[in-house]
Every structure is written in structure tokens, then in C-alpha cells.
Amino acid sequence: MTFKTLLAATVLATSLLPNAASAVTLQAPGNQPLQVTKLQMGIKGPTVAACPADAKLSIWVFTNKEGTVPVYIAKEGGQVAGPYQVTTQKTGNSTFMGVYSRELSIHQPIEAHYRASAPGFKALSNWVPLKASCSFGLGG
């Protein structure tokens, strides 16, 4: 097989691949736009049935490089809070991650679902439940 034939066969085979690399994926890592690769949310509910009590909300943002991502917190039914700026940094396993955490003070019974979003990056977390019974209150 001649060099020209081999070259032509390689070009033809590459052009027929359905997932052939595009110009965007061939850019140098520093030139790629910031992208959110994963968005996760978790809520650790109160450990006691008495109110007031505290819960902890955490959002983990994973990106393709270091950067800042504005995230919002939505309550099922329409309430939205934010934006909260999350800065991602390189982790030990060559991924980029940032965390937003806050304490939630629970004063009355609640059963609700929340999700995190990064609309500028078309990223959503799963819905996460928050449930507190406040079956008995504390005086004071």
C-alpha cells in the first residue's frame, strides 16, 4: 500500500466516524470555555424532632477547568434564591470542584424539595427532600 493510499484511507475512515473530534474538542485546555460537567445537591436534615433545629445544605459544582459558577437554589413550587458564586479549583484527582454550603434554621414542620441550578451552563441537580417534623417545640 502506498503512502497516498494509506493517507486517503485514514482521512476517509476518520470522516466516517460518528464521534469524530471537532475543532472545539481539539482546543488547548486553557482556551476552552468554562463548562459545568456535574451539579449535585444534598441536604442533611435535623437530627432531632425538636424545633428550632438546624439542617445543612451543600451544593457541589464540577467543571472542566477552574472558574466561578453562579448557582441558584429552587424550592419546588417556584421560590428561587441566589445567585451564589461557587469557585471551582483543581482537586487531587485531576477534576475541578467547588462547594457551596449553608446552615438552614428550621422553626416549623417542613416537607419540601429543592434543587440547584446553573442556568448559564444548562445544569440542574436532582430534587432533594427536606423534612422536619418539629413534633415538639423548645421553650424560650
Side-chain angles (χ1 to χ4, degrees), residues 76-90:
E76 193 171 37
Q79 297 173 330
V80 178
Y84 304 102
Q85 303 300 322
V86 179
T87 301
T88 61
Q89 298 177 347
K90 191 170 188 173

Side-chain angles (χ1 to χ4, degrees), residues 40-60:
Q40 294 180 308
M41 181 177 183
I43 300 176
K44 183 177 180 184
T47 57
V48 296
C51 287
D54 290 329
K56 184 173 182 178
L57 176 141
S58 297
I59 299 170
W60 297 271

Side-chain angles (χ1 to χ4, degrees), residues 2-102:
T2 67
F3 176 74
K4 287 182 181 180
T5 306
L6 181 60
L7 180 62
T10 303
V11 169
L12 179 61
T14 304
S15 67
L16 295 176
L17 290 174
N19 294 324
S22 67
V24 173
T25 59
L26 295 177
Q27 291 179 353
N31 296 334
Q32 293 179 351
L34 182 65
Q35 297 174 346
V36 174
T37 57
K38 185 169 35 171
L39 187 61
Q40 294 180 308
M41 181 177 183
I43 300 176
K44 183 177 180 184
T47 57
V48 296
C51 287
D54 290 329
K56 184 173 182 178
L57 176 141
S58 297
I59 299 170
W60 297 271
V61 179
F62 297 86
T63 58
N64 63 327
K65 65 180 189 175
E66 290 183 344
T68 301
V69 177
V71 296
Y72 295 82
I73 300 169
K75 181 178 180 183
E76 193 171 37
Q79 297 173 330
V80 178
Y84 304 102
Q85 303 300 322
V86 179
T87 301
T88 61
Q89 298 177 347
K90 191 170 188 173
T91 65
N93 60 359
S94 298
T95 60
F96 298 90
M97 183 185 79
V99 179
Y100 171 79
S101 293
R102 70 187 254 190

